[in-house]
Amino acid sequence: MASSSRDELGQALDEEFDNIFQTELDNALYSYDDPQPPTKPKKKRVYIERHREEGHIRLWNDYFGENATFPPPLFRRRFRMNKHLFIRIVDRLSNEMPFFQQRRDALGRSGFSALQKCTAAIRILAYGCAADAVDEYLRIGESTAMKCMEHFVNGIMYCFGDEYLRKPTAQDLHRLLIIGEIRGFPGMMGSIDCMHWEWKNCPTAWKGQYTRGHGKPTIVLEAVASQDLWIWHAFFGPPGTLNDINILDRSPIFDDLIKGRAPKVKYVVNGNEYRMGYYLTDGIYPKWASFIQSIPLPQGDKPSLFATCQEACRKDVERAFGVLQARFAIVKTPALIWDKEKIGNIMRACIILHNMIVEDERDTYTQFAVTEFQQAESSGSTEVVSGYSDDTPSSIVDMMATRTRIRDQVMHEQLKNDLVEHIWTKHSTNHV
């Protein structure tokens, strides 16, 4: 009896050991197949019924209806442009960009309208506000508002970039030179300068490259603006540690001229003929034939008058930067976006919208009357011919020769002296 009980006890221990071994083996196999420990179940996303249809109806009744609640001046103030221009943008985007076309969901409900999406994007660009700031009025959530802004920026560049971010054509250049001659600077094509946009969410590894001194990381915009605040050239992206000269070395502003794709220009200053236009700059730019700076310490009446006129006309680009930042506060406040490419798209889209507004409202604030412009056009010495210039470079040697003409310091001094005499003669004749 004792031996049989010992056998039963041993058999029970063997069975228990087998069970423990199998359990440990199963756990080992499970951990090998799925090394990640089981995670807690995610919380279910809270659905918010925003009643987007009511948001569209409210927007329509406030601004776009026949008896709109808010008059045109308030529309211009809040949308930064006149109503017909905004409707033109909405129609173009809804016809060419699938994102702005209104669709129905699986329940048959209509999605956000093109007016809601474009208004959300304009409000973010114009006020520089957070994406969820438009939720209460337009009934658009934060993530959808960010998508509206990104697609709106891409759509503006796709639909209007070729027309409103172009380089001056022969007709544009002729108009710029006539205006420059009226202001006392024959051959002037505008003024050039740089603007910094702070990048708050700059990656830590890049901060040393984009930060100058003990300041904040910034991205630089180089621009050329005319008297009517149209921005003809925009080069955005260099890091903020670069100054205007370093950025000029990277800029494509003279590429068309070097490659012979620029229209021919001819004008006369103080009896001397010139065949290359120039830009007004501040003192940091080099003394090239394509740049005219002021005189830092003018001695005498003629240099003082020239310095006064040059500094007054050079403020065109400063005014353009100020108006651009006033219209679109997003480029004035620190950029909160991480992606540099998206920041560049926002800057270019704001410049395109700025030029569209300038074209739409140019006649309301121009300094020059039509008769004055026609008289200067008929009696002036400026001549612009479209097409390629006669000295189109056929080799790298010709391109280097054109580059040397652009940087000619002797021509710079001669042109500057002729402009001093021309402005003195012009103002003395007007006073007589």
Side-chain angles (χ1 to χ4, degrees), residues 165-183:
L165 205 57
R166 70 180 187 273
K167 297 179 181 179
T169 61
Q171 293 78 12
D172 297 330
L173 191 56
H174 179 70
R175 182 176 180 274
L176 292 176
L177 296 180
I178 291 297
I179 293 177
E181 188 167 358
I182 295 174
R183 305 174 75 187

Side-chain angles (χ1 to χ4, degrees), residues 306-325:
F306 171 81
T308 301
C309 295
Q310 194 274 349
E311 292 168 6
C313 293
R314 196 198 66 82
K315 293 299 182 183
D316 293 342
V317 66
E318 303 288 354
R319 292 169 49 232
F321 288 151
V323 172
L324 178 67
Q325 292 178 334

Side-chain angles (χ1 to χ4, degrees), residues 27-42:
N27 293 336
L29 292 176
Y30 174 79
S31 62
Y32 178 79
D33 294 336
D34 188 9
Q36 298 295 335
T39 58
K40 297 181 180 180
K42 296 182 179 180

Side-chain angles (χ1 to χ4, degrees), residues 220-267:
V220 183
L221 167 68
E222 180 192 67
V224 172
S226 56
Q227 178 270 339
D228 57 1
L229 304 184
W230 185 294
I231 298 177
W232 294 102
H233 163 76
F235 176 56
F236 182 78
T241 51
L242 302 181
N243 57 23
D244 295 8
I245 300 178
N246 304 134
I247 295 171
L248 180 64
D249 294 335
R250 303 184 179 191
S251 174
I253 185 172
F254 294 119
D255 286 358
D256 284 351
L257 185 59
I258 293 176
K259 296 177 181 179
R261 295 198 296 256
K264 293 184 294 184
V265 175
K266 184 177 70 174
Y267 58 94

Side-chain angles (χ1 to χ4, degrees), residues 356-395:
M356 296 177 71
I357 298 171
V358 169
E359 182 189 56
D360 183 54
E361 304 175 356
R362 177 186 290 156
D363 297 335
T364 61
Y365 57 81
T366 182
Q367 294 181 0
F368 309 108
V370 178
T371 56
E372 185 180 5
F373 185 84
Q374 292 175 349
Q375 291 175 0
E377 187 177 14
S378 60
S379 61
S381 61
T382 301
E383 180 181 349
V384 179
V385 180
S386 60
Y388 296 102
S389 58
D390 295 335
D391 53 350
T392 303
S394 58
S395 64

Side-chain angles (χ1 to χ4, degrees), residues 132-260:
D132 62 347
V134 299
D135 191 0
E136 296 176 344
Y137 179 68
L138 297 175
R139 321 305 293 175
I140 296 180
E142 179 182 4
S143 60
T144 307
M146 286 298 299
K147 289 182 180 179
C148 292
M149 194 265 291
E150 294 177 6
H151 284 83
F152 181 82
V153 165
N154 295 332
I156 290 295
M157 293 191 299
Y158 174 78
C159 296
F160 303 100
D162 294 338
E163 181 178 0
Y164 292 97
L165 205 57
R166 70 180 187 273
K167 297 179 181 179
T169 61
Q171 293 78 12
D172 297 330
L173 191 56
H174 179 70
R175 182 176 180 274
L176 292 176
L177 296 180
I178 291 297
I179 293 177
E181 188 167 358
I182 295 174
R183 305 174 75 187
F185 288 91
M188 182 187 69
M189 299 183 297
S191 53
I192 184 172
D193 203 357
C194 294
M195 181 189 81
H196 290 254
W197 185 10
E198 183 182 340
W199 188 6
K200 181 179 180 181
N201 286 336
C202 175
T204 304
W206 293 3
K207 284 188 176 181
Q209 181 182 359
Y210 285 82
T211 304
R212 176 186 295 181
H214 300 285
K216 302 295 182 63
T218 58
I219 308 177
V220 183
L221 167 68
E222 180 192 67
V224 172
S226 56
Q227 178 270 339
D228 57 1
L229 304 184
W230 185 294
I231 298 177
W232 294 102
H233 163 76
F235 176 56
F236 182 78
T241 51
L242 302 181
N243 57 23
D244 295 8
I245 300 178
N246 304 134
I247 295 171
L248 180 64
D249 294 335
R250 303 184 179 191
S251 174
I253 185 172
F254 294 119
D255 286 358
D256 284 351
L257 185 59
I258 293 176
K259 296 177 181 179

